[in-house]
Amino acid sequence: MATTVQPVEQQNYLNSNYGIKSWLLTTDHKRIGLLYLMSITLFFFLGGFFAMLIRLELLTPASDLMQSDNYNKVFTMHGIIMVFLFLIPSIPAVLGNFLVPLMVGAKDLAFPKINLASWYLFMLGGVVALYGMVTGGVDTGWTFYTPFSTTYSNTNVVTVAIGVFITGFSSIFTGLNIMVTVHRMRAPGMTWGRLPLFIWSHYATSVIMVLGTPVIAITLLLVALERLFHIGIFNSQLGGDPLLFQHLFWFYSHPAVYIMILPSMAVISEIVACYSRKRIFGYNFVALASVAIAVFGFLVWAHHMFVAGISVYAAMIFSLLSFLVAIPSAVKVFNWTATLYKGSVHFDTPMLYAFGFIGLFTIGGLTGLFLASIGIDVHVHDTYFVVAHFHYIMVGGAVMGYLGGLHFWWPKISGRLYPEGWAKLSALLIFVGFNVTFFPQFLLGYLGMPRRYAAYPEEFQVLNVLSTAGASILAVGYVLPMIYFVWSLRYGKIAGPNPWNAAGLEWRTSSPPPTYNFEETPIVTWEAYNYDEISEEKGVEVAG
């Protein structure tokens, strides 16, 4: 009588322990990465809900869906949730947590318990901020500008600011963990020159997180102190200086843009190399460009203040510095493009996101140069031009990179493949929906439509309707990955250790990886992105 032999399921980080306790008390960096993934996904769709309310309100010129005070709260909550509870932790806390130890050949991050504490702090800060939002909301905009936030607003400024303040510690803990891990826990042979560019970008991001986040934390603390105890810090009537707030806020918040975009650049470097089957053109320049962006990012904050009252000479200096920060960003775009040249390019889903990132980030970056020019900035300041530019960087750049990374490493995370056809459709919908949503806003801003108003003149309606229609397409594109990723957990094809024939240590262990990542400590004897050797050994066929 024939008997059927059931395959033995290999033990990995997902099935090593079961039960809620094993997740809530885990110190495994991979599980903590998944806890972050679930948390920020929830916040992303909550922030998206507020975005939907904004676009519905702007369908018509009159403020007929909500009154102006409610509209102020809605766009404030959209901004705070998306910036502090989704974009900043997105790639460093999810993909960085999951991948940094795997990429450097370590068993875990340097401080596993601090890593778990960072997630709890993030959740605590998120819950406090949400509490402030559901018990009256906040209407200051995500920038908390004074003196409105300290004196005139009668909403829950302090509660929400405390929530953001707490999440800042989570960000510092994550950055500290990544920096120490890269310094101290690299596998034998993993020299700085052999590090994946993903690691270089995350290292630069971590430096910004550790150095910059305390500044915004102290700034929000000062806002709370002035609001509660009327200490004259930012209010000129109390002897304070309103411009001081803007200096402190943007000293962090402009580098924070690079906290969001540098990790996406990290993802794109990995994807472009894999799907063009080539070593990244100018590896050293791309690595150093990450560091240069982190350094320059701290020197350009006052370009947000050209119309706030800073001197003309200061404005000229910050304008020049803002142009300089474009150089390392351009180096990256040039080198990705040069890598594609004569490469064996595969148009799989992660690569579609990479193409989307390069195009949209380039538009966002170039329009950033418009805003770095003092004369143009005066014309379009606080208009929808700024909104469009910001979203081309933050959504067109950061979110495209995040989704590209999720698709690229999903087989490693879950051990399963997602349906390629649906994934490509989603990438296409997101690209089209994004452009239909935000490109009209460049025109609206140039024509003079100010941001943060619920009502507007009738001549702007056509472009606003177009923008709302694009947002509907974008929403469908974002929901689809949620569905097929969950579906793939049960029904997706088994991925195998390396379905893309990719380089990198993370692909040399099983999918999903074991609890301590590698059965034996790897010894690295090859350069990063050795696709010429991999292609000779295994051919160039990839799954998908």
Side-chain angles (χ1 to χ4, degrees):
M1 177 180 175
T3 58
T4 303
V5 178
Q6 295 294 331
V8 178
E9 187 178 18
Q10 191 174 4
Q11 192 174 62
N12 57 62
Y13 80 100
L14 289 174
N15 63 16
S16 60
N17 283 298
Y18 293 99
I20 293 177
K21 185 178 176 182
S22 72
W23 281 87
L24 295 181
L25 298 180
T26 184
T27 54
D28 186 334
H29 65 99
K30 300 179 290 297
R31 284 192 168 203
I32 295 171
L34 292 192
L35 290 175
Y36 267 113
L37 173 63
M38 290 182 276
S39 310
I40 70 165
T41 300
L42 178 67
F43 287 127
F44 175 75
F45 282 101
L46 186 56
F49 171 73
F50 288 121
M52 181 191 72
L53 293 180
I54 294 171
R55 289 314 322 166
L56 287 176
E57 171 55 53
L58 295 176
L59 261 177
T60 58
S63 68
D64 36 19
L65 181 64
M66 61 188 95
Q67 297 302 309
S68 294
D69 53 349
N70 287 329
Y71 183 78
N72 293 345
K73 293 177 182 177
V74 167
F75 73 67
T76 297
M77 292 188 283
H78 165 70
I80 289 173
I81 291 172
M82 285 302 198
V83 171
F84 295 109
L85 300 179
F86 171 69
L87 283 168
I88 287 178
S90 59
I91 296 183
V94 176
L95 296 178
N97 237 321
F98 194 96
L99 293 166
V100 166
L102 283 163
M103 284 186 166
V104 302
K107 292 181 178 178
D108 206 323
L109 284 168
F111 307 115
K113 292 181 180 176
I114 289 180
N115 194 24
L116 179 61
S118 78
W119 179 73
Y120 275 103
L121 284 171
F122 174 74
M123 292 305 298
L124 176 62
V127 168
V128 171
L130 288 182
Y131 172 78
M133 293 177 189
V134 299
T135 56
V138 61
D139 63 352
T140 60
W142 74 276
T143 48
F144 293 99
Y145 265 21
T146 58
F148 183 67
S149 62
T150 54
T151 305
Y152 301 109
S153 174
N154 57 5
T155 55
N156 292 331
V157 177
V158 173
T159 307
V160 176
I162 289 174
V164 175
F165 178 83
I166 295 171
T167 62
F169 286 94
S170 164
S171 189
I172 292 170
F173 284 1
T174 299
L176 185 68
N177 238 325
I178 290 175
M179 288 171 65
V180 176
T181 302
V182 174
H183 271 282
R184 304 294 300 170
M185 299 182 69
R186 301 194 307 276
M190 179 61 85
T191 62
W192 286 89
R194 288 173 175 168
L195 284 175
L197 291 167
F198 185 93
I199 300 297
W200 276 100
S201 286
H202 272 75
Y203 185 86
T205 304
S206 300
V207 170
I208 302 174
M209 291 160 81
V210 171
L211 295 181
T213 308
V215 178
I216 187 68
I218 293 296
T219 307
L220 293 176
L221 186 63
L222 292 176
V223 167
L225 289 175
E226 180 164 295
R227 186 177 174 86
L228 293 174
F229 304 110
H230 308 293
I231 301 171
I233 301 168
F234 305 120
N235 189 339
S236 58
Q237 294 180 338
L238 299 173
D241 180 1
L243 271 189
L244 177 62
F245 174 84
Q246 294 191 37
H247 279 295
L248 292 173
F249 180 83
W250 289 115
F251 183 80
Y252 164 79
S253 294
H254 192 83
V257 171
Y258 302 111
I259 292 177
M260 304 175 220
I261 202 69
L262 267 172
S264 280
M265 291 174 165
V267 169
I268 300 307
S269 293
E270 302 300 317
I271 292 175
V272 167
C274 176
Y275 289 98
S276 59
R277 315 305 301 172
K278 284 176 65 182
R279 179 179 165 87
I280 285 285
F281 179 82
Y283 168 93
N284 292 333
F285 286 99
V286 179
L288 293 177
S290 299
V291 179
I293 289 172
V295 173
F296 280 124
F298 279 109
L299 305 176
V300 299
W301 76 89
H303 73 216
H304 296 271
M305 301 165 59
F306 287 160
V307 299
I310 63 172
S311 76
V312 174
Y313 299 108
M316 289 171 63
I317 295 296
F318 279 102
S319 174
L320 176 64
L321 290 170
S322 301
F323 274 91
L324 289 181
V325 79
I327 294 174
S329 300
V331 165
K332 284 178 177 280
V333 173
F334 172 79
N335 285 32
W336 292 326
T337 310
T339 304
L340 293 170
Y341 180 65
K342 291 190 175 179
S344 178
V345 178
H346 291 66
F347 293 92
D348 294 274
T349 302
M351 193 61 167
L352 297 184
Y353 280 106
F355 280 128
F357 173 95
I358 293 172
L360 300 180
F361 174 75
T362 300
I363 294 173
L366 290 174
T367 52
L369 295 180
F370 291 13
L371 296 171
S373 305
I374 300 173
I376 298 178
D377 184 75
V378 170
H379 176 67
V380 299
H381 189 82
D382 264 348
T383 69
Y384 264 85
F385 190 94
V386 177
V387 176
H389 157 72
F390 184 75
H391 282 82
Y392 263 81
I393 295 292
M394 293 296 91
V395 182
V399 178
M400 291 292 273
Y402 175 65
L403 289 174
L406 270 186
H407 284 83
F408 186 54
W409 282 292
W410 185 253
K412 183 56 60 182
I413 294 170
S414 67
R416 301 278 181 164
L417 294 172
Y418 49 80
E420 184 69 16
W422 283 105
K424 286 182 175 177
L425 175 64
S426 169
L428 179 65
L429 287 174
I430 290 172
F431 184 79
V432 172
F434 174 85
N435 281 292
V436 176
T437 302
F438 291 105
F439 196 83
Q441 296 181 13
F442 280 126
L443 305 177
L444 285 167
Y446 185 76
L447 293 172
M449 179 172 168
R451 61 177 178 167
R452 298 181 172 176
Y453 282 84
Y456 57 84
E458 290 185 357
E459 60 261 35
F460 295 143
Q461 186 175 13
V462 172
L463 289 172
N464 271 298
V465 170
L466 190 60
S467 188
T468 301
S472 306
I473 300 170
L474 193 57
V476 175
Y478 284 143
V479 169
L480 279 178
M482 274 284 296
I483 298 171
Y484 61 70
F485 276 148
V486 173
W487 177 89
S488 74
L489 290 174
R490 184 173 181 84
Y491 302 105
K493 293 179 182 175
I494 301 296
N498 190 0
W500 317 130
N501 278 341
L505 275 181
E506 77 273 25
W507 300 106
R508 296 186 178 229
T509 187
S510 56
S511 300
T515 300
Y516 293 107
N517 296 341
F518 301 95
E519 300 298 336
E520 296 180 358
T521 301
I523 298 174
V524 181
T525 58
W526 58 91
E527 301 297 318
Y529 311 109
N530 56 334
Y531 281 103
D532 48 348
E533 299 172 17
I534 293 174
S535 297
E536 289 176 5
E537 293 171 3
K538 299 180 179 179
V540 295
E541 292 298 321
V542 295

